[in-house]
Amino acid sequence: MADSLGLLQRWIEAREYKGYDPGDGLTSWLRPLTFGNVFAERVLQQLIWKSPWNFRPLAGVKPLDSTKGRGFMAWGYLLRFKATGDTAFRDKAVACLSWLIANKSPKYPEYCWGNHFDFASRGGRIPAQEPTIVWSGLIGQAFLEAYEQLSDEQYLAVAESICNWILRLPREQAPVGSCLSYHGRFQSSIHNSNLLGAALLARTWKHTARAEFLEVAREAVRYSCHRQLPDGMWWYGEEPKYHWIDNFHTGYNLDSIKRYIEASGDNSFEENLRTGYRYFVQTFLEPSGCPRYYHNKTYPIDIQCAAQAIDTLCFFSDEYPESLALAAKAAKWTISHLSDPSGYFYYRKYPFVTSRTAYFHWGQATMFKALAHFQLATETRNEKHVEHEHLAQAS
C-alpha cells in the first residue's frame, strides 16, 4: 500500500493538482444548447459525468484546480508528516494551505470555498465559487490539523473565519435541533453538510472557547441524530427527493459526529454513533473488501466510496480495533481492482465496464488522504503493540 500511495502522490504532483471533476460538465462548449434551463443543464452535466467513457476533451472540458482536492492533499500530507517526520510533507501541506488561502471564494469576506464551475443539482443551480459547507468544512479540518501539528496561529484564524461564515448561513429551526444550510443561497437541509459544519464548529471551539460555536454545533448534531433511522442509517436529506442512502455521505456523518464528541466531550450521541458505525460496517463493505455504493445495491463501485470507507474505518480503529483490518481489506481490494499502473485510481466499476476517468478530488485526493490515514493508523498501532510488549517484558 505504501507503493500505491507513493505512485499516487507522484501522479498528482506531476499534474500540478489539476484534473477533471465529476460535476464539471457545464464548462463544456455544449452548455449554450441548454438555453439556461436547469433541467437541461442537469442532463448535460449527467451525460458527461455518468458516461463510462471520458468525452471531456471532445466536449471542451479542461482539467481545473479543485479547492476540495487541495484540502484533501494538505490533510494527507499532514498525516504523512505526522507518521514520518519528513519535513518535505510538511512543506507540501503548507504550500497547499497557502494556495487555499489565496483562492478563497470572493463572494464572502470570511474564508470559504466552492467549485470552480457551475453545478446543477436536484436542489437547483450552484454557481461557480459559491461556497458550501461540505467543501469549507472538510478544508477547515485540514487547517485545524495544521494548527494542531504546527502551532501556527494563522491556521486557527482561518478555521475560525470559516466558522464565522457557517454562522451566517440559513438554518432550519426544527422541534428538535436546527439544520445548517448546505450553502448560503437558500435553506438546503442535508445531513452530511449539517454534520460537517457541526464538526468544524466543535473542533474550533476546543481551541477558541467561543460558546456560540459549540451551541450551534450541538443543535446541528441533535437535528441529524434525532432523524437517524432505527437501524442506524440516514437519508441524504429529509425531503422525499433526497431519500437515498449511500456509503460516503454516511461516512461523513459518522466522522463528523465522532469529531463533535471528541472535541466537545458531549457523550449524548454515543449510541447514535455506535448504531451508525455498526450499520456502516455491515452494509457498505462486502466480505471481499469491495465497497458498496448504496445500502441496497453494490454498483456502481465508486472510488469515492472506497476512499471514504478506508478513511472512516481508520478513524474508528481507536475504539474498534477490528476496524483497521477492515480498512486494510478495503484498501487491498481497491488497489487490486481500481488502480491504474501509472498510479491513479479509476472512477467507477460497472457490471460490464470500468470507467477509467481520472478525477482529481473525487478519486485521487480522497484516496491519497485515505491511504495516508491508513499508513498512520497502522504505524500507530504497531508502535502501541511494541510499547505493550516492552511493558510486559519489564514487568
Side-chain angles (χ1 to χ4, degrees):
M1 289 185 209
D3 290 343
S4 183
L5 179 58
L7 276 172
L8 177 59
Q9 179 184 330
R10 289 191 288 275
W11 189 94
I12 293 169
E13 291 173 357
R15 287 152 184 81
E16 299 181 331
Y17 306 100
K18 286 183 170 66
Y20 295 123
D21 188 280
D24 60 12
L26 296 186
T27 64
S28 168
W29 58 264
L30 293 167
R31 185 180 183 182
L33 299 178
T34 66
F35 299 101
N37 180 276
V38 175
F39 178 76
E41 289 181 345
R42 283 181 59 198
V43 170
L44 171 62
Q45 184 177 279
Q46 291 294 318
L47 284 172
I48 292 175
W49 182 342
K50 299 299 172 62
S51 170
W53 300 277
N54 186 19
F55 294 121
R56 284 172 177 80
L58 293 175
V61 177
K62 298 178 181 179
L64 296 171
D65 287 307
S66 168
T67 55
K68 190 178 179 185
R70 289 283 186 132
F72 270 98
M73 290 303 298
W75 203 346
Y77 285 137
L78 287 164
L79 296 178
R80 295 302 292 137
F81 175 57
K82 191 173 186 178
T84 66
D86 185 341
T87 57
F89 290 121
R90 178 200 63 197
D91 295 344
K92 290 175 187 290
V94 167
C96 285
L97 295 173
S98 297
W99 184 91
L100 285 162
I101 288 171
N103 287 273
K104 65 177 281 296
S105 171
K107 297 192 174 186
Y108 294 86
E110 299 89 358
Y111 282 100
C112 48
W113 296 268
N115 282 316
H116 280 71
F117 48 82
D118 291 350
F119 184 78
S121 72
R122 300 184 200 193
R125 187 187 294 112
I126 301 177
Q129 301 284 1
E130 182 66 35
T132 70
I133 287 193
V134 176
W135 266 233
S136 304
L138 288 165
I139 290 169
Q141 293 291 341
F143 276 97
L144 287 174
E145 185 70 30
Y147 172 68
E148 291 171 3
Q149 284 197 42
L150 309 180
S151 301
D152 189 328
E153 292 288 337
Q154 73 165 322
Y155 299 137
L156 178 59
V158 171
E160 187 171 6
S161 177
I162 300 168
C163 290
N164 290 335
W165 171 75
I166 290 173
L167 295 183
R168 293 179 55 179
L169 294 174
R171 217 174 297 166
E172 176 192 345
Q173 300 296 333
V176 177
S178 60
C179 186
L180 298 161
S181 180
Y182 189 98
H183 51 70
R185 289 165 58 80
F186 50 81
Q187 176 62 38
S188 178
S189 296
I190 304 297
H191 286 300
N192 77 90
S193 58
N194 177 53
L195 289 169
L196 286 166
L200 186 70
L201 287 166
R203 191 175 177 186
T204 308
W205 166 83
K206 186 177 179 181
H207 298 294
T208 64
R210 285 185 55 183
E212 189 178 9
F213 288 179
L214 188 60
E215 291 165 7
V216 174
R218 188 174 196 280
E219 288 304 296
V221 176
R222 285 184 70 216
Y223 174 93
S224 289
C225 284
H226 181 70
R227 288 155 181 80
Q228 184 182 28
L229 298 175
D231 59 2
M233 68 181 184
W234 284 271
W235 299 118
Y236 176 75
E238 292 301 303
E239 291 184 59
K241 65 181 177 181
Y242 296 136
H243 277 195
W244 75 83
I245 303 155
D246 67 59
N247 176 319
F248 71 95
H249 288 117
T250 304
Y252 284 170
N253 293 346
L254 295 174
D255 290 358
S256 296
I257 295 169
K258 188 173 190 291
R259 288 195 173 96
Y260 167 82
I261 292 171
E262 290 177 349
S264 67
D266 178 3
N267 296 318
S268 306
F269 308 102
E270 284 279 6
E271 185 56 32
N272 298 92
L273 191 61
R274 282 193 291 269
T275 305
Y277 171 79
R278 286 195 298 269
Y279 179 85
F280 184 85
V281 169
Q282 293 167 5
T283 305
F284 293 115
L285 202 67
E286 295 188 347
S288 64
C290 172
R292 304 180 75 213
Y293 196 112
Y294 295 105
H295 74 295
N296 55 357
K297 60 181 180 179
T298 298
Y299 288 99
I301 300 168
D302 187 282
I303 191 59
Q304 180 85 341
C305 294
Q308 189 59 50
I310 296 163
D311 205 19
T312 294
L313 291 166
C314 288
F315 192 36
F316 279 78
S317 63
D318 54 350
E319 186 173 351
Y320 300 94
E322 72 281 3
S323 191
L324 193 57
L326 293 174
K329 187 178 286 190
K332 288 176 182 175
W333 189 96
T334 303
I335 292 168
S336 296
H337 294 83
L338 289 175
S339 66
D340 187 84
S342 67
Y344 82 93
F345 284 83
Y346 303 144
Y347 169 47
R348 278 183 174 175
K349 181 179 282 292
Y350 298 94
F352 302 108
V353 66
T354 296
S355 173
R356 290 174 164 78
T357 304
Y359 293 123
F360 173 35
H361 106 253
W362 191 272
Q364 316 320 315
T366 50
M367 273 301 294
F368 178 75
K369 192 259 180 172
L371 292 176
H373 196 173
F374 178 79
Q375 291 294 111
L376 175 62
T378 301
E379 290 167 23
T380 302
R381 176 72 58 84
N382 291 340
E383 288 171 4
K384 287 181 179 178
H385 181 70
V386 170
E387 184 179 338
H388 290 157
E389 283 189 341
H390 287 165
L391 289 172
Q393 291 171 1
S395 61

